[in-house]
Amino acid sequence: MTTKGDVWGYSTTNARVPVGTNGQVLTADSTQTLGVKWATPTGSSGPTFMVKLTSNQTGISSGVWTKVNFATEVWDTDNCFDNTTNYRFTPTTAGYYQLNVTVSGRVASGDVNIYKNGSNYAWLQATEGDGYAGGGSILVYFNGTTDYAEVYCRQFG
């Protein structure tokens, strides 16, 4: 090892794998003597985001589906989540996205749904007890232009 970032490899003897350049990743490649090489990633990933409530959301009537107003962005890589007006995710890259949602309330029971393009798309799990917690994960396809997702909850009690 002679340079910061070098890794150790093996073919028939121990050998140095010199560090790649910025942005490259170590990739398996059976055509290389040591079986690995540094390469620029060829795939792309879609936008990612994480949002949360700034404070408890009020004004939710019992039995009425209400949009959850996630107003605080923890991150939003491509500015695809509107956290000020529509509180929705509209990805600009077509593909499948995993949406993970958790919502809780201080009432007896409730439900959580993901809406796609203004209609119920997935009913997620809700548990009852001293308050409720609902949520889950779902894979959703977005066309990269007009499709969007929102989270709605309904509570009782």
Side-chain angles (χ1 to χ4, degrees):
M1 306 274 210
T2 60
T3 307
K4 176 174 79 171
D6 284 353
V7 294
W8 208 243
Y10 183 83
S11 175
T12 55
T13 61
N14 289 324
R16 171 182 167 259
V17 178
V19 67
T21 59
N22 289 341
Q24 289 187 318
V25 295
L26 194 59
T27 305
D29 185 342
S30 62
T31 66
Q32 300 295 310
T33 303
L34 298 175
V36 294
K37 70 177 181 180
W38 291 98
T40 302
T42 57
S44 63
S45 64
T48 68
F49 71 100
M50 179 180 174
V51 292
K52 62 183 183 177
L53 291 175
T54 302
S55 60
N56 291 339
Q57 185 169 332
T58 60
I60 299 174
S61 299
S62 181
V64 176
W65 287 106
T66 304
K67 187 188 303 189
V68 180
N69 297 332
F70 293 111
T72 299
E73 288 182 335
V74 178
W75 77 80
D76 186 0
T77 60
D78 289 358
N79 295 317
C80 292
F81 190 88
D82 175 358
N83 68 327
T84 58
T85 308
N86 293 314
Y87 306 101
R88 66 174 58 154
F89 175 59
T90 309
T92 54
T93 302
Y96 289 91
Y97 291 81
Q98 180 174 329
L99 302 180
N100 306 305
V101 177
T102 302
V103 175
S104 62
R106 293 183 181 169
V107 294
S109 65
D111 302 309
V112 180
N113 282 13
I114 291 180
Y115 277 46
K116 180 179 176 185
N117 301 332
S119 298
N120 183 27
Y121 183 79
W123 194 313
L124 302 177
Q125 176 186 1
T127 57
E128 299 179 19
D130 184 20
Y132 76 94
S137 296
I138 188 151
L139 198 61
V140 182
Y141 179 81
F142 292 95
N143 62 17
T145 54
T146 58
D147 286 342
Y148 63 92
E150 303 161 304
V151 175
Y152 280 76
C153 70
R154 174 178 64 173
Q155 56 190 24
F156 303 96

